[in-house]
C-alpha cells in the first residue's frame, strides 16, 4: 500500500452520497423486484418485509445459530457490526450483508422448497434472451475475417464495456444503457496487458479471470477466454465466479452454463465459440472456481492463503467490474491520482482491472485527466457508467 495514510473506508451514512442512495433506494427496489419475480408464500413475504425494515431503519442482526456459514461471517466481522445501523459500517460490508440476508429471507440455503433457487434468475435469463444479445453475437460473424490481433482488441473491449450490462446498476439508473459510452478510456494500459499474454505456440500459462456479472457481460468474458486459448495466448483459463447469487447479476457456475448454452444454440460464429468453450471445460483448459472469498465483504488485501497462492502462480489475473475493483484497490475515497500500482502492490502476481465506472472509488488517473473530467461533468463521471478503464500492474 502507499506510504501516505490511506483515506477511511467508505460508509453509507452521508445523505445525498452514492452509497447512501444504494442503501436507501437500490436495496428496497431489489427487494420489491425479487418479491414480485416468484410466487413466494406468506412466510417469505414476511421475511422480505422484515429485511426491508431492517436495512432501511433497523440494525444489523447476526445470522441464526444454525446458519451454515455463521462461523465464516463471524470471521468477516458480523459480531463486531451487530447492533449497528447498516449506514454506519463499511459500505462494502453492508452491501454484501444485504445480499446474504436476502438469500436467507427467500430460503435459498434451505432446507425447504426454495433451497437453491436463484432469486435473480429471471432477470439474468431475460437478459440472455434479449434481442440485444442476438445483435452482439451476430457481430462475431463480421469479426471472424479480421486478423487475430484485431479480434483480440475487439473482444477485450467487448469484455470491458460488457460491464455496462450490470443488472443491479440498472435498477437504480434506468437510463444508463442508453447513454453513449465515452469515446476514450480514463486509463488505458491495454498494451501492457497484451504484453503479458504474448502469442506463442503451446502456451502453458494460466489466466485467472475474476468474473463480475452474468448475462451480456459474462458472454464477452467467455469469448475473450476462447480467443486467447485458441490463439495460443494462454494455456489455461480459470474463471472465478460467486459461490451463490450475489449483487443481483454476479455470475455463478449456473450462469456460466446458461451462457455456454446460449452460445452453442446461437447461429454463426457464436456457436463455434460455444463449442470451443464447452470442449475446453471438458478437457480442463477452462475451469470454474467458486471460492467462498469471492462473496466476502472484504478487500482482496485480506484474501486467504490458498487464494493468494492461486493468483500468485497465474500468468495474469484479470479483475472484472466495479465491485471487484473496489475490493482490489480498497473501498476508499483515494485521491484519483493515487498510483494503481501502489494500491495493488500487495497482490501476489500481475493483475489487470477491466471496469466501467459505477462508484466513487478510482485510482491511477493523471492529473490532467481528472481535471478534464471534473470540468466537464463535476463528479458524475465517477458513477455514471459512461467511462471505463484498463489498468495493469505487472
Amino acid at each position: 500500500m502507499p506510504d501516505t495514510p490511506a483515506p477511511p473506508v467508505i460508509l453509507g451514512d452521508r445523505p445525498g452520497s452514492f452509497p447512501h442512495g444504494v442503501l436507501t433506494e437500490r436495496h428496497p427496489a431489489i427487494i420489491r423486484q425479487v418479491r414480485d419475480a416468484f410466487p413466494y408464500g406468506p412466510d417469505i413475504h414476511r421475511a422480505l418485509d422484515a429485511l426491508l425494515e431492517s436495512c432501511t431503519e433497523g440494525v444489523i442482526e447476526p445470522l441464526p445459530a444454525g446458519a451454515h456459514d455463521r462461523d465464516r461471517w463471524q470471521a468477516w466481522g458480523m459480531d463486531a457490526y451487530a447492533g449497528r445501523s447498516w449506514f454506519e459500517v463499511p459500505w462494502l460490508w453492508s452491501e454484501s450483508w444485504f445480499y446474504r440476508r436476502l438469500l436467507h429471507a427467500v430460503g435459498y440455503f434451505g432446507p425447504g422448497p426454495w433451497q437453491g433457487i436463484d432469486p435473480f434468475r429471471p432477470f439474468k435469463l431475460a437478459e440472455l434472451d434479449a434481442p440485444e444479445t442476438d445483435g452482439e453475437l451476430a457481430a462475431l460473424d463480421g469479426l471472424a475475417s479480421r486478423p487475430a490481433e484485431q479480434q483480440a482488441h475487439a473482444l477485450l473491449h467487448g469484455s470491458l464495456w460488457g460491464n455496462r450490462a450490470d443488472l443491479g446498476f440498472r435498477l437504480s439508473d434506468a437510463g444508463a444503457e442508453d447513454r453513449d459510452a465515452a469515446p476514450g478510456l480514463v486509463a488505458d494500459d491495454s498494451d501492457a496487458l497484451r504484453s503479458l499474454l504474448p502469442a506463442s505456440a503451446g502456451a502453458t500459462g494460466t489466466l485467472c479471470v475474476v468474473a463480475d456479472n452474468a448475462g451480456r457481460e459474462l458472454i464477452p468474458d467467455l469469448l475473450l477466454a476462447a480467443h486467447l486459448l485458441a490463439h495460443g495466448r494462454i494455456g489455461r483459463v480459470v474463471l472465478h465466479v460467486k459461490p451463490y447469487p450475489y449483487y443481483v447479476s454476479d455470475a455463478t457456475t449456473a450462469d456460466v452454463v446458461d451462457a455456454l448454452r446460449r452460445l452453442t444454440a446461437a447461429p454463426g460464429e457464436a456457436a463455434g465459440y460455444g463449442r470451443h468453450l464447452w470442449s475446453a471445460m471438458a478437457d480442463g483448459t477452462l475451469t470454474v472456481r467458486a471460492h467462498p472469498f469471492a462473496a466476502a465483504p472484504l478487500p482482496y488485501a485480506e484474501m486467504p492463503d490458498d487464494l493468494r497462492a492461486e493468483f500468485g502462480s497465474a500468468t495474469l489475473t484479470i479483475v472484472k467490474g466495479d465491485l471487484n475493483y473496489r475490493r482490489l484497490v480498497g473501498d476508499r475515497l483515494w485521491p484519483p491520482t493515487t498510483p494503481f500500482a501502489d494500491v495493488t502492490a500487495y497482490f501476489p502476481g500481475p493483475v489487470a482491472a477491466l471496469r466501467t465506472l459505477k462508484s466513487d472509488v478510482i485510482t491511477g488517473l493523471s492529473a490532467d485527466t481528472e481535471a478534464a473530467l471534473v470540468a466537464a461533468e463535476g463528479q458524475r463521471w465517477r458513477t455514471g457508467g459512461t467511462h471505463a478503464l484498463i489498468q495493469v500492474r505487472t
Side-chain angles (χ1 to χ4, degrees):
M1 286 300 196
D3 294 334
T4 54
V9 297
I10 295 174
L11 307 180
D13 59 347
R14 183 167 58 85
S17 68
F18 185 74
H20 191 272
V22 169
L23 295 174
T24 59
E25 299 172 15
R26 182 186 297 183
H27 288 176
I30 290 170
I31 291 173
R32 289 191 293 270
Q33 290 208 354
V34 166
R35 182 189 179 106
D36 294 340
F38 287 94
Y40 292 126
D43 289 347
I44 290 180
H45 284 174
R46 283 190 289 270
L48 290 171
D49 291 342
L51 175 60
L52 177 60
E53 182 179 0
S54 173
C55 71
T56 54
E57 302 176 13
V59 297
I60 291 166
E61 300 175 9
L63 292 172
H68 74 284
D69 55 351
R70 181 182 170 89
D71 290 348
R72 182 177 298 145
W73 276 93
Q74 284 179 315
W76 288 347
M78 180 181 71
D79 290 349
Y81 296 138
R84 297 174 63 179
S85 166
W86 293 62
F87 297 83
E88 296 173 352
V89 303
W91 180 41
L92 177 63
W93 200 95
S94 60
E95 277 196 292
S96 297
W97 183 246
F98 169 78
Y99 290 99
R100 175 60 185 86
R101 295 301 311 201
L102 180 63
L103 293 181
H104 178 76
V106 299
Y108 178 84
F109 294 113
W114 294 100
Q115 184 174 9
I117 302 298
D118 183 348
F120 310 125
R121 185 169 171 77
F123 316 133
K124 296 174 178 178
L125 292 180
E127 184 178 274
L128 273 181
D129 294 338
E132 292 84 357
T133 306
D134 292 328
E136 290 162 0
L137 294 181
L140 294 171
D141 296 339
L143 191 63
S145 60
R146 301 290 183 89
E149 194 58 38
Q150 290 185 17
Q151 293 182 39
H153 178 81
L155 292 171
L156 174 65
H157 281 260
S159 178
L160 170 66
W161 287 107
N163 181 241
R164 297 178 76 204
D166 181 336
L167 291 169
F169 178 67
R170 290 211 309 270
L171 284 177
S172 61
D173 190 0
E177 200 170 345
D178 297 329
R179 291 193 297 272
D180 290 334
L185 307 182
V186 299
D188 186 3
D189 294 339
S190 52
D191 287 344
L193 193 156
R194 283 191 291 270
S195 72
L196 289 168
L197 300 171
S200 61
T204 58
T206 295
L207 171 67
C208 290
V209 178
V210 181
D212 189 37
N213 297 307
R216 286 170 57 205
E217 180 179 357
L218 182 59
I219 282 180
D221 294 345
L222 290 168
L223 296 175
L224 177 62
H227 178 87
L228 295 174
L229 288 168
H231 290 270
R233 305 292 289 269
I234 202 70
R236 178 171 174 260
V237 175
V238 180
L239 184 66
H240 287 253
V241 299
K242 300 300 188 296
Y244 48 76
Y246 192 62
Y247 276 72
V248 180
S249 54
D250 280 27
T252 65
T253 302
D255 298 320
V256 175
V257 175
D258 286 340
L260 291 179
R261 285 177 173 157
R262 181 71 167 87
L263 283 170
T264 55
E269 291 292 322
Y273 277 95
R275 289 191 294 269
H276 180 82
L277 289 162
W278 199 279
S279 296
M281 290 278 285
D283 66 23
T285 51
L286 172 63
T287 59
V288 177
R289 181 97 153 93
H291 195 285
F293 193 77
L298 303 172
Y300 273 100
E302 300 182 37
M303 74 180 86
D305 290 343
D306 63 330
L307 196 57
R308 178 174 292 277
E310 187 168 343
F311 290 148
S313 65
T315 304
L316 174 67
T317 298
I318 294 178
V319 174
K320 286 293 310 295
D322 200 77
L323 170 63
N324 286 326
Y325 187 86
R326 290 164 56 196
R327 297 186 68 195
L328 178 66
V329 305
D331 202 31
R332 302 169 184 270
L333 282 179
W334 299 103
T337 55
T338 304
F340 177 74
D342 284 359
V343 296
T344 57
Y346 72 89
F347 203 83
V351 63
L354 272 61
R355 173 217 183 188
T356 50
L357 278 58
K358 302 176 186 174
S359 67
D360 293 309
V361 179
I362 184 72
T363 67
L365 300 192
S366 69
D368 288 346
T369 297
E370 181 195 4
L373 289 166
V374 172
E377 304 179 37
Q379 296 300 322
R380 173 64 178 170
W381 62 272
R382 293 175 178 259
T383 60
T386 55
H387 297 282
L389 57 80
I390 301 173
Q391 292 177 324
V392 175
R393 197 224 71 211
T394 57

